[in-house]
Amino acid sequence: MKEHSGYYIVQRQAIPEVLIKVVEAKKLLESGRVRTVNEAVAKVDISRSSFYKYKDDIYEFHDSLSGSTFTLTFQIDDEPGLLSDVLGIIARSGANILTIHQSIPIDGVASLSVSLQVIDEGVSVTDLSTAIGQRSGVHKVQISGRGNGVS
């Protein structure tokens, strides 16, 4: 039996309202329309504890990723060769790396944001994120954004 990735596609009406509001709060924070978690949760009418409980586990899925760009965010341990291994996973998938942003490691962990272009319809974004997340030293892989392609 094939092992599942841990991701599911669920129609919006089947998702509890609190999870939708967590996504809305995250968008407010990412867009800069609010400055703090307190402001975001007040605007969407959820508790801070609900936000923190679910913030790393819910995000919007964007279908039709082929031929477009998307961004993966994750954390990696400050370990020689680890970033090279992750970039190798991306290269073997056939995705094209557009940008890489890495923070300076704090307490031995760096945050990364990698923007990718997918041209091949055979590239599975969830399989790619799962493969990266299975590498020892990689944590909290998320598909965090999508664009309309690069001209």
Side-chain angles (χ1 to χ4, degrees), residues 11-138:
Q11 291 195 23
R12 182 182 172 112
Q13 66 264 19
I15 300 172
E17 187 65 25
V18 67
L19 297 179
I20 300 298
K21 288 182 175 188
V22 168
V23 172
E24 291 171 8
K26 288 171 55 173
K27 284 183 188 178
L28 288 170
L29 288 162
E30 290 169 5
S31 71
R33 288 182 279 173
V34 297
R35 294 179 150 228
T36 67
V37 170
N38 282 343
E39 289 177 87
V41 299
K43 271 200 183 262
V44 299
D45 194 31
I46 58 172
S47 68
R48 284 173 44 92
S49 63
S50 292
F51 177 81
Y52 284 112
K53 180 176 183 180
Y54 298 116
K55 73 177 182 66
D56 293 329
D57 296 319
I58 181 91
Y59 52 93
E60 282 188 296
F61 176 79
H62 301 282
D63 58 1
S64 303
L65 289 174
S66 180
S68 62
T69 61
F70 66 96
T71 302
L72 293 177
T73 57
F74 50 95
Q75 296 178 334
I76 63 171
D77 293 341
D78 186 17
E79 164 187 317
L82 181 54
L83 178 56
S84 178
D85 289 352
V86 169
L87 297 179
I89 293 168
I90 294 169
R92 287 188 295 280
S93 79
N96 181 37
I97 298 172
L98 301 174
T99 63
I100 302 171
H101 299 280
Q102 178 180 342
S103 69
I104 295 173
I106 298 173
D107 295 328
V109 177
S111 295
L112 271 92
S113 172
V114 180
S115 295
L116 306 168
Q117 181 182 29
V118 174
I119 298 170
D120 181 2
E121 289 188 19
V123 174
S124 166
V125 176
T126 55
D127 288 350
L128 176 57
S129 65
T130 298
I132 291 170
Q134 289 175 341
R135 171 57 167 87
S136 176
V138 176

